[in-house]
Amino acid sequence: MAQESLHKYEVVAAGIITMIEDASPHDLLPTERALMEMFGVSRMTIRAAVRKLSETGQVYNVPGSGMYVGFREVFSKSPRLTSFTEDMRSRGLEASSRVLSAQSVRADSGLAARLGLELDAPCFRLHRLRLANSEPMAIEEVFVPESILRLDDLDLGQSLYEQFASRGLQIYRAEQEVLAVILSASDCQLLQVPDGSAAIGVHRVSSSNRGRPIEFARTFYRSDRYTFRMIVNRDEAVQ
Amino acid sequence: MAQESLHKYEVVAAGIITMIEDASPHDLLPTERALMEMFGVSRMTIRAAVRKLSETGQVYNVPGSGMYVGFREVFSKSPRLTSFTEDMRSRGLEASSRVLSAQSVRADSGLAARLGLELDAPCFRLHRLRLANSEPMAIEEVFVPESILRLDDLDLGQSLYEQFASRGLQIYRAEQEVLAVILSASDCQLLQVPDGSAAIGVHRVSSSNRGRPIEFARTFYRSDRYTFRMIVNRDEAVQ
DNA sequence: AAGTGGTCTAGACCACCGC
DNA sequence: CGGTGGTCTAGACCACTTC
């Protein structure tokens, strides 16, 4: 069941991935010019594919030398914008959720600033326990302007992102802040962790492709079950 | 004092940045074809500059519509590999450090695996308190194989990265894991935070451009002073 | 229908690496 | 020195947005 990719560079990237699967980290890959012939595309298309793969650490380039298979597959996921469901799926877990509350609220100054709203603008707040393989994984608090989705129209049984999409709003981009917190007693109980446990907090403002803020979410992940993994690269020389 | 950039796309990126400075978020920027004429370069060079800027959220593209100034400058830093010194400098703070201990150790199984060494291979461990504007900000524990830098040759007064560089080893890439922890009583004292405080933990394996692991570092940042900020983008449609 | 960014071609020269 | 990735050109067609 081969997926029908639209763009050539995606086909090339998929082809390179199949090469990588049967190779060890730091193995030398064919040169870009050789890949041109193998895939019958121009060099820029090869480089677009390679860029995509090197962003996730699956391959890496050494100028003047060649292109190599990335280190370890465990670490191959750089931070990308994903829904909780996708994130869990990529870790081999099945996501579900339990609604703790859903209510209408008025934006305070902090929320209004984050979502680009007037003070006291109507929003709804959705408070959910997120589970992975039926075990508590995170507590999520989402605020959405009622100008985008009214609480009355909210279908609690359906994915929030799908409901945005059905209104022509697709989330493209997010500003995100990662911090450490100590959970409240009630949150510890919900997550089934010892009292006073630490958690990874993520504050996120998600926006449409037009830069319009769609949601502000505060999520607290169990730190015994969840970590952020990423590959970081340097632009220039070290300090 | 204009910096002499080597590449055209860097010159173009710098030029676009000066446009951005006098503009507001979501302002429309010239089209790529207009920028070609303005800078006298080809479209691919414009796009290389735009890619660089959009990685850090300074601009964003809307297909079929145009290119726009990014949201807020506060959030413009996506996760990149930086030294503590650079990281603090980019936040407008001056970095310093206090050595807590420096000793020779033997790699246990975890360390050996991370650094690609034999079990019991000699390494040194450097334990430092990192300060920003003379205030404690983080506790850092670095392990380096003695095959790369011997403890005897270590100059505690000099930047570790500079000592790598002087041996022809430049750090290009790192695998990083971010987690939340509760600090030990002694670490709380060092960081001057209340007992039982949470901290952001970062585990990092840094490698040379040849994929050779150079250091394993465990850093704990005060979570009241330090957060990770990043912009994340989507590749494809939402779940 | 016109204009936009996204993709793609078929070339080219360069800095750097390894022999 | 030849080969590598990094940059760059001058075109082209496409899907999509905007009017």
Side-chain angles (χ1 to χ4, degrees), chain A residues 122-133:
Chain A
C123 297
F124 72 78
R125 170 181 178 272
L126 181 58
H127 196 197
R128 289 185 292 183
L129 181 66
R130 312 290 321 232
L131 310 126
N133 284 0

Side-chain angles (χ1 to χ4, degrees), chain B residues 7-9 42-45 63-64:
Chain B
H7 302 299
K8 288 192 181 183
Y9 78 88
S42 78
R43 191 156 161 233
M44 188 202 161
T45 304

Side-chain angles (χ1 to χ4, degrees), chain B residues 32-102:
Chain B
E32 298 185 345
R33 285 151 181 99
L35 290 167
M36 284 171 64
E37 291 205 3
M38 291 168 62
F39 290 99
V41 298
S42 78
R43 191 156 161 233
M44 188 202 161
T45 304
I46 297 292
R47 288 185 62 76
V50 168
R51 181 183 309 118
K52 180 185 158 88
L53 295 176
S54 70
E55 276 171 8
T56 57
Q58 292 168 282
V59 305
Y60 64 91
N61 288 332
V62 180
S65 174
M67 174 174 138
Y68 300 85
V69 178
F71 339 62
R72 292 183 216 110
E73 35 281 85
V74 197
F75 259 105
S76 65
K77 199 170 154 289
S78 73
R80 300 220 72 82
L81 179 53
T82 54
S83 70
F84 182 82
T85 308
E86 287 173 307
D87 198 2
M88 291 307 114
R89 190 186 299 141
S90 76
R91 291 161 196 251
L93 305 169
E94 201 194 346
S96 58
S97 67
R98 203 180 92 206
V99 176
L100 301 172
S101 74

